[in-house]
Amino acid sequence: MKTLHIIRSGKLLLAGILIGCTFGFAAPAPAAPKKVLVVTVTKGFRHSSIPTAEKVLAALAEVSSAFKVDYARTDAELAEKMSAEALKQYDGVIFANTTGDLPLPDKEAFLEWIKSGKGFAGMHSATDTFPGFPGYTEMIGGHFNGHGPQVKVDVINQDQECPACKHLPANWEVFDEIYLMKDFDRTKVHGLLTLDKHPNNKTPGDYPIAWCKEYGKGRVFYTSLGHREDIWDPKWPDRKNSPEVAEAYQKHILGGIKWALGLEKMNAKPQKTAVE
Ligand SMILES: [Zn+2]
């Protein structure tokens, strides 16, 4: 009986080691990628950079393994994928150069969905979207107020710790169409990139470029850069920006998107002054 007991104990010990190896010491499984809806519907100006933006966002999703992309490119796809019910399947929405009054099935439900703890990221003309919908402007943090000719600017990096800007120099030289903003309140956002003078006539002032903000339990990231193909794509043939600028832009938006999805930490508290 004693021998049998020892054999049994040995078997139990072996089973314990096997279970320990299988469950106790194995590396934790990576989290499932987040699901993101990329919206590129336009009801106003349509940027030629939209197909490039779609490709770059898909590549960033793939390379980072952080998220998977789905697209809403048509009114029918907006109706199908942005109802209150359909939005539940997504962790975030990206407005990549959208313009005008988009025919969302339920605009208020979209804002409530973000407030519930989801992520929103917008590029360039995302602020030239929903001109007659103050709730959207309040969510994104500002509205397009025109632009001058495309120009080279020295963008001031306001947060060299954050995932959207930590790879950028203190002053980042970019050539793009630079938006002017209205309905922007610096006390409601955390500034990421800005200009301390008008992009074209160089009059001193506060000209925000990128910011992040909390919105209810949700997170909102916006960058006004992204008009030109060569700022999205380092391989675009006809260039005014170096490939390095496009690579830096991709990291800028990837950092913002990952934060909006809750995958990175970023200070979203408003700064005390315009350039801090
Ligand atoms: Zn533009």
Side-chain angles (χ1 to χ4, degrees):
M1 284 302 284
K2 201 176 176 188
T3 316
L4 187 62
H5 179 75
I6 291 166
I7 291 168
R8 275 189 183 153
S9 299
K11 278 185 180 167
L12 281 172
L13 181 66
L14 182 64
I17 290 168
L18 285 172
I19 289 167
C21 289
T22 310
F23 298 104
F25 311 117
K34 304 279 185 180
K35 201 168 170 196
V36 173
L37 183 66
V38 176
V39 179
T40 53
V41 179
T42 52
K43 293 294 161 186
F45 181 78
R46 187 163 183 88
H47 284 84
S48 61
S49 54
I50 284 177
T52 306
E54 288 184 353
K55 269 187 242 156
V56 167
L57 289 166
L60 292 177
E62 178 90 31
V63 170
S64 70
S65 308
F67 59 101
K68 287 192 179 301
V69 284
D70 190 8
Y71 295 94
R73 299 180 171 107
T74 63
D75 292 3
E77 286 175 343
L78 283 182
E80 179 199 331
K81 298 175 182 179
M82 288 193 75
S83 67
E85 191 55 35
L87 278 170
K88 287 180 188 166
Q89 67 182 301
Y90 299 107
D91 301 292
V93 164
I94 297 174
F95 276 20
N97 282 346
T98 50
T99 51
D101 279 312
L102 304 181
L104 299 193
D106 188 339
K107 291 192 288 189
E108 294 296 342
F110 172 49
L111 298 184
E112 289 304 317
W113 171 84
I114 302 170
K115 275 185 192 160
S116 76
K118 304 293 183 169
F120 176 88
M123 291 93 200
H124 193 54
S125 57
T127 50
D128 189 16
T129 302
F130 292 123
F133 181 23
Y136 175 83
T137 301
E138 191 221 323
M139 180 278 290
I140 197 169
H143 192 79
F144 169 72
N145 196 28
H147 62 78
Q150 294 183 22
V151 62
K152 187 177 276 186
V153 286
D154 237 345
V155 176
I156 298 164
N157 183 351
Q158 290 181 273
D159 187 346
Q160 294 183 49
E161 312 274 302
C162 85
C165 305
K166 65 184 174 193
H167 62 289
L168 298 174
N171 290 280
W172 184 35
E173 205 173 80
V174 176
F175 185 89
D176 204 14
E177 178 188 84
I178 304 299
Y179 273 9
L180 307 174
M181 291 290 161
K182 63 180 179 185
D183 301 327
F184 174 80
D185 182 346
R186 204 166 266 293
T187 67
K188 304 232 169 97
V189 305
H190 178 80
L192 299 175
L193 300 176
T194 195
L195 300 176
D196 58 5
K197 45 181 142 351
H198 187 286
N200 301 96
N201 66 27
K202 309 298 179 192
T203 307
D206 184 18
Y207 293 92
I209 298 282
W211 58 81
C212 68
K213 58 180 290 209
E214 283 163 356
Y215 183 66
K217 291 184 200 152
R219 293 156 305 279
V220 174
F221 165 80
Y222 171 72
T223 183
S224 70
L225 301 173
H227 172 91
R228 295 173 54 85
E229 280 89 345
D230 72 346
I231 199 164
W232 284 92
D233 181 359
K235 296 201 168 94
W236 188 260
D238 179 23
R239 313 195 60 85
K240 295 244 176 158
N241 287 295
S242 69
E244 289 74 26
V245 166
E247 282 158 12
Y249 178 73
Q250 290 190 3
K251 281 189 190 167
H252 171 55
I253 59 174
L254 179 61
I257 293 165
K258 285 174 83 172
W259 170 74
L261 293 173
L263 298 170
E264 295 264 6
K265 290 206 184 319
M266 182 145 75
N267 179 3
K269 299 266 176 299
Q271 293 100 328
K272 291 191 187 78
T273 56
V275 181
E276 186 188 343

CSV table of all heavy atoms in Angstrom, one decimal, residues 45 47 49 97 124-125 144 147 150 176-177 179 224 226-228, ligand 1:
chain,number,residue,atom,x,y,z
A,45,PHE,N,-15.4,69.1,-49.9
A,45,PHE,CA,-14.1,68.9,-50.6
A,45,PHE,C,-13.7,67.4,-50.4
A,45,PHE,O,-13.7,66.9,-49.3
A,45,PHE,CB,-13.1,69.9,-50.2
A,45,PHE,CG,-11.8,69.7,-50.9
A,45,PHE,CD1,-11.6,70.2,-52.2
A,45,PHE,CD2,-10.7,69.0,-50.3
A,45,PHE,CE1,-10.4,70.1,-52.9
A,45,PHE,CE2,-9.5,68.9,-51.0
A,45,PHE,CZ,-9.4,69.4,-52.3
A,47,HIS,N,-10.4,65.1,-50.6
A,47,HIS,CA,-8.9,65.2,-50.7
A,47,HIS,C,-8.4,64.0,-51.5
A,47,HIS,O,-8.9,62.8,-51.3
A,47,HIS,CB,-8.3,65.1,-49.3
A,47,HIS,CG,-8.3,66.4,-48.5
A,47,HIS,ND1,-9.4,66.8,-47.8
A,47,HIS,CD2,-7.4,67.4,-48.4
A,47,HIS,CE1,-9.2,67.9,-47.3
A,47,HIS,NE2,-7.9,68.3,-47.6
A,49,SER,N,-5.8,62.7,-51.1
A,49,SER,CA,-4.9,61.8,-50.3
A,49,SER,C,-5.7,60.7,-49.5
A,49,SER,O,-5.1,60.0,-48.8
A,49,SER,CB,-4.2,62.7,-49.3
A,49,SER,OG,-5.1,63.5,-48.5
A,97,ASN,N,-9.9,62.6,-43.1
A,97,ASN,CA,-10.2,63.6,-44.2
A,97,ASN,C,-11.7,63.6,-44.6
A,97,ASN,O,-12.0,63.8,-45.8
A,97,ASN,CB,-9.2,63.5,-45.4
A,97,ASN,CG,-7.9,64.1,-45.1
A,97,ASN,OD1,-7.8,64.9,-44.1
A,97,ASN,ND2,-6.9,63.9,-45.9
A,124,HIS,N,-6.7,66.0,-40.3
A,124,HIS,CA,-6.9,67.2,-41.2
A,124,HIS,C,-8.4,67.6,-41.3
A,124,HIS,O,-8.9,68.2,-40.4
A,124,HIS,CB,-6.3,66.8,-42.6
A,124,HIS,CG,-6.2,68.0,-43.5
A,124,HIS,ND1,-5.5,69.1,-43.1
A,124,HIS,CD2,-6.6,68.2,-44.8
A,124,HIS,CE1,-5.5,70.0,-44.2
A,124,HIS,NE2,-6.2,69.4,-45.2
A,125,SER,N,-9.1,67.3,-42.4
A,125,SER,CA,-10.4,67.8,-42.5
A,125,SER,C,-11.5,67.2,-41.7
A,125,SER,O,-12.7,67.5,-41.9
A,125,SER,CB,-10.8,67.8,-44.0
A,125,SER,OG,-10.8,66.6,-44.6
A,144,PHE,N,-12.7,74.0,-38.6
A,144,PHE,CA,-12.0,74.6,-39.7
A,144,PHE,C,-12.4,76.0,-40.0
A,144,PHE,O,-13.6,76.3,-40.1
A,144,PHE,CB,-12.2,73.7,-40.9
A,144,PHE,CG,-11.8,74.2,-42.2
A,144,PHE,CD1,-10.4,74.3,-42.5
A,144,PHE,CD2,-12.7,74.6,-43.2
A,144,PHE,CE1,-10.0,74.8,-43.7
A,144,PHE,CE2,-12.3,75.1,-44.4
A,144,PHE,CZ,-10.9,75.2,-44.7
A,147,HIS,N,-7.9,78.3,-44.8
A,147,HIS,CA,-6.4,78.0,-44.9
A,147,HIS,C,-5.8,78.9,-46.0
A,147,HIS,O,-6.5,79.2,-47.0
A,147,HIS,CB,-6.1,76.5,-45.2
A,147,HIS,CG,-6.6,76.0,-46.5
A,147,HIS,ND1,-6.0,76.2,-47.7
A,147,HIS,CD2,-7.7,75.3,-46.7
A,147,HIS,CE1,-6.8,75.6,-48.6
A,147,HIS,NE2,-7.8,75.1,-48.1
A,150,GLN,N,-0.4,76.2,-49.4
A,150,GLN,CA,0.5,75.3,-48.6
A,150,GLN,C,1.8,75.9,-48.3
A,150,GLN,O,2.3,76.7,-49.1
A,150,GLN,CB,0.7,74.0,-49.5
A,150,GLN,CG,-0.6,73.3,-49.7
A,150,GLN,CD,-0.4,72.0,-50.5
A,150,GLN,OE1,0.7,71.4,-50.6
A,150,GLN,NE2,-1.5,71.5,-51.1
A,176,ASP,N,2.8,71.5,-45.5
A,176,ASP,CA,1.4,71.0,-45.7
A,176,ASP,C,0.4,72.2,-45.8
A,176,ASP,O,0.8,73.4,-45.7
A,176,ASP,CB,1.0,70.2,-44.5
A,176,ASP,CG,-0.1,69.2,-44.8
A,176,ASP,OD1,-0.4,68.9,-46.0
A,176,ASP,OD2,-0.7,68.6,-43.9
A,177,GLU,N,-0.8,71.9,-46.1
A,177,GLU,CA,-1.9,72.9,-46.0
A,177,GLU,C,-2.2,73.1,-44.5
A,177,GLU,O,-2.7,72.1,-43.9
A,177,GLU,CB,-3.1,72.4,-46.8
A,177,GLU,CG,-4.3,73.3,-46.8
A,177,GLU,CD,-5.5,72.6,-47.4
A,177,GLU,OE1,-6.2,71.9,-46.7
A,177,GLU,OE2,-5.7,72.8,-48.6
A,179,TYR,N,-4.3,74.4,-41.4
A,179,TYR,CA,-5.6,74.9,-41.1
A,179,TYR,C,-5.6,76.0,-40.1
A,179,TYR,O,-4.8,76.0,-39.1
A,179,TYR,CB,-6.5,73.8,-40.5
A,179,TYR,CG,-7.2,72.9,-41.6
A,179,TYR,CD1,-7.0,73.1,-42.9
A,179,TYR,CD2,-8.1,72.0,-41.1
A,179,TYR,CE1,-7.7,72.3,-43.8
A,179,TYR,CE2,-8.8,71.2,-42.0
A,179,TYR,CZ,-8.6,71.3,-43.4
A,179,TYR,OH,-9.3,70.6,-44.3
A,224,SER,N,-4.3,68.4,-37.4
A,224,SER,CA,-4.8,69.0,-38.6
A,224,SER,C,-3.8,68.8,-39.8
A,224,SER,O,-4.2,69.1,-40.9
A,224,SER,CB,-4.9,70.6,-38.3
A,224,SER,OG,-3.6,71.1,-38.2
A,226,GLY,N,-2.1,66.4,-42.7
A,226,GLY,CA,-2.6,65.3,-43.4
A,226,GLY,C,-3.3,65.6,-44.7
A,226,GLY,O,-4.1,64.8,-45.2
A,227,HIS,N,-3.0,66.8,-45.2
A,227,HIS,CA,-3.6,67.2,-46.5
A,227,HIS,C,-2.9,66.5,-47.7
A,227,HIS,O,-3.5,65.9,-48.6
A,227,HIS,CB,-3.5,68.7,-46.8
A,227,HIS,CG,-3.9,69.2,-48.1
A,227,HIS,ND1,-5.2,69.5,-48.4
A,227,HIS,CD2,-3.2,69.3,-49.3
A,227,HIS,CE1,-5.3,69.8,-49.7
A,227,HIS,NE2,-4.1,69.7,-50.3
A,228,ARG,N,-1.6,66.5,-47.6
A,228,ARG,CA,-0.8,66.0,-48.8
A,228,ARG,C,-0.5,64.5,-48.7
A,228,ARG,O,-0.3,64.0,-47.6
A,228,ARG,CB,0.6,66.8,-48.8
A,228,ARG,CG,0.4,68.3,-49.0
A,228,ARG,CD,1.8,68.9,-48.9
A,228,ARG,NE,2.8,68.3,-49.7
A,228,ARG,CZ,3.0,68.6,-51.0
A,228,ARG,NH1,2.3,69.6,-51.6
A,228,ARG,NH2,4.0,68.0,-51.7
B,1,ZN,ZN,-6.7,69.9,-47.1
